[in-house]
Amino acid sequence: SKCIARYNNELHAKYIFEETLIHDLDEAIANKELKVYYQPKYSIVGEKPRLTSAEALVRWIHPKLGFINPGDFIPLFESNGLIRKVDNYVWKESAAQIRRWKDLYGESIPVSVNVSRINIMDPDLEAKLEDICSRYEISTSEIMLEVTESAYSENTNRLVEVVDKLRKNGFRIEMDDFGAGYSSLNMITTVPVDVLKIDMSFVRNMEKDECNLKLVKIIIEIAKFLKIPSVAEGVETESQLNMLKQMGCDIIQGYYFSKPVPAMDFAPFIEREISAKNLKKGE
Ligand code: C2E
Ligand code: CA
Ligand code: CA
């Protein structure tokens, strides 16, 4: 009976936590308690890694509950549809940031935003994204859309339609968590995508497990076959980076370069990239 009591208490605590998040979301958006962090992506094709873009990842700095990771509220908001509000906010913030960096540095740093599977079903998705781009005067090619592979297997026909339209309007689509979903391999030839992101679990385990290493190789080969770049995320060590480079992976994202950071702390990455470019020009 003690066990049952504790079980009930835990369930109750979770219920209270979730109800609080649901209740507070609108206020959090209005007060900008949701913060967009940026993680750099580096091309490793050449001799030296080059900054190519960033991924926008949301955090919630709650006045009472403190720092909350997306893993603690994204699934909840996906289950009740509120994710649309979160994503919309993140897209706007990211577009505003792209604009700011452009004005500040005269360079475009494309930002990838996550598009939840729920948004794929939204008939206004394209209009919303275009509206944001025009409001912040950025081009549709500067905001890249990450869609998780499992969203593809859920409703392939609908997805092909949505993705087609978005791409015709200049948006680029990244297939996130590739290899972790349950899509048929055939799907990848019917749904046009612009970038393939290898699921992080394969990268994490590739050094200790032959199967994971093989899967990473296969995914990189698939990307090459499709003539699109492959991205490895969750790269934490130099040895992982070297292995990926040797296998022909194009772009790296992970703690090896940086954790996701607030926009202010991302500036040095851009400045370093610009001075590297200028150095090259002066050669
Ligand atoms: P994801 O899109 O697959 O993002 C990658 C996650 O891996 C991020 O976790 C990132 O911080 C983490 N990561 C990056 N490099 C490393 C590394 O080297 N080592 C380790 N251990 N982790 C690394 P995060 O920020 O906690 O986000 C978790 C998930 O929440 C994301 O997975 C994404 O599915 C979702 N998410 C985050 N922000 C948003 C958003 O604005 N909208 C939607 N719809 N989902 C979001
Ligand atoms: Ca992502
Ligand atoms: Ca991912």
Side-chain angles (χ1 to χ4, degrees):
S1 66
K2 247 186 196 160
C3 271
I4 290 168
R6 188 168 64 194
Y7 178 70
N8 279 335
N9 277 337
E10 273 171 21
L11 260 190
H12 188 67
K14 186 167 185 251
Y15 176 79
I16 298 286
F17 177 72
E18 294 188 344
E19 286 305 307
T20 308
L21 297 186
I22 292 167
H23 176 268
D24 293 351
L25 180 62
D26 283 336
E27 214 180 302
I29 288 175
N31 298 341
K32 299 208 171 208
E33 286 164 26
L34 295 188
K35 306 278 183 209
V36 180
Y37 279 38
Y38 300 87
Q39 187 175 36
K41 297 183 181 181
Y42 281 88
S43 163
I44 54 162
V45 174
E47 203 185 314
K48 286 219 173 75
R50 305 299 300 263
L51 180 71
T52 59
S53 58
E55 178 176 2
L57 294 153
V58 71
R59 278 92 183 85
W60 187 342
I61 301 175
H62 192 283
K64 289 200 199 80
L65 301 171
F67 192 97
I68 314 175
N69 275 311
D72 290 332
F73 59 88
I74 297 285
L76 170 69
F77 291 151
E78 278 185 329
S79 72
N80 59 22
L82 289 174
I83 188 68
R84 288 160 74 168
K85 289 188 181 179
V86 177
D87 278 358
N88 227 285
Y89 173 85
V90 174
W91 302 341
K92 275 189 201 152
E93 288 289 309
S94 303
Q97 193 55 57
I98 294 169
R99 184 70 253 164
R100 249 175 259 135
W101 282 331
K102 247 178 137 167
D103 292 341
L104 208 57
Y105 299 110
E107 303 246 344
S108 166
I109 312 292
V111 173
S112 303
V113 296
N114 290 285
V115 177
S116 164
R117 68 194 73 221
I118 310 298
N119 283 305
I120 299 294
M121 295 302 148
D122 179 359
D124 296 329
L125 173 65
E126 199 200 329
K128 278 182 190 161
L129 286 165
E130 283 193 330
D131 183 58
I132 290 171
C133 288
S134 65
R135 177 144 24 127
Y136 293 96
E137 296 181 60
I138 61 169
S139 94
T140 53
S141 63
E142 290 170 286
I143 191 152
M144 302 173 70
L145 311 174
E146 293 197 6
V147 182
T148 184
E149 190 214 312
S150 53
Y152 287 75
S153 36
E154 275 165 20
N155 203 328
T156 313
N157 292 341
R158 167 87 188 139
L159 206 99
V160 173
E161 224 174 89
V162 175
V163 163
D164 259 354
K165 253 169 98 192
L166 288 166
R167 290 181 83 242
K168 281 202 182 95
N169 284 298
F171 290 103
R172 286 175 287 167
I173 313 293
E174 297 184 53
M175 191 184 279
D176 204 354
D177 311 321
F178 187 71
Y182 296 92
S183 311
S184 67
L185 264 184
N186 182 43
M187 176 272 297
I188 195 75
T189 62
T190 53
V191 185
V193 293
D194 301 282
V195 177
L196 216 51
K197 278 189 101 168
I198 307 165
D199 189 66
M200 204 153 67
S201 64
F202 303 136
V203 175
R204 190 178 297 147
N205 298 316
M206 69 182 179
E207 281 170 302
K208 52 177 184 273
D209 180 83
E210 191 71 29
C211 287
N212 280 277
L213 179 64
K214 192 78 200 168
L215 282 167
V216 171
K217 275 188 189 155
I218 289 170
I219 296 172
I220 293 170
E221 286 308 315
I222 292 174
K224 285 191 189 308
F225 169 74
L226 296 170
K227 300 189 169 63
I228 58 176
S230 51
V231 180
E233 63 179 338
V235 176
E236 297 184 351
T237 66
E238 190 168 2
S239 92
Q240 287 173 332
L241 181 136
N242 288 335
M243 282 177 90
L244 288 158
K245 189 175 171 132
Q246 210 218 328
M247 290 186 266
C249 181
D250 302 294
I251 295 168
I252 297 288
Q253 180 185 347
Y255 296 172
Y256 175 75
F257 286 115
S258 171
K259 289 190 173 183
V261 294
M264 202 181 75
D265 300 328
F266 194 88
F269 298 120
I270 305 175
E271 285 160 16
R272 219 170 294 153
E273 186 59 32
I274 290 172
S275 56
K277 237 184 245 168
N278 290 340
L279 258 178
K280 243 190 152 178
K281 268 189 217 145
E283 272 172 5

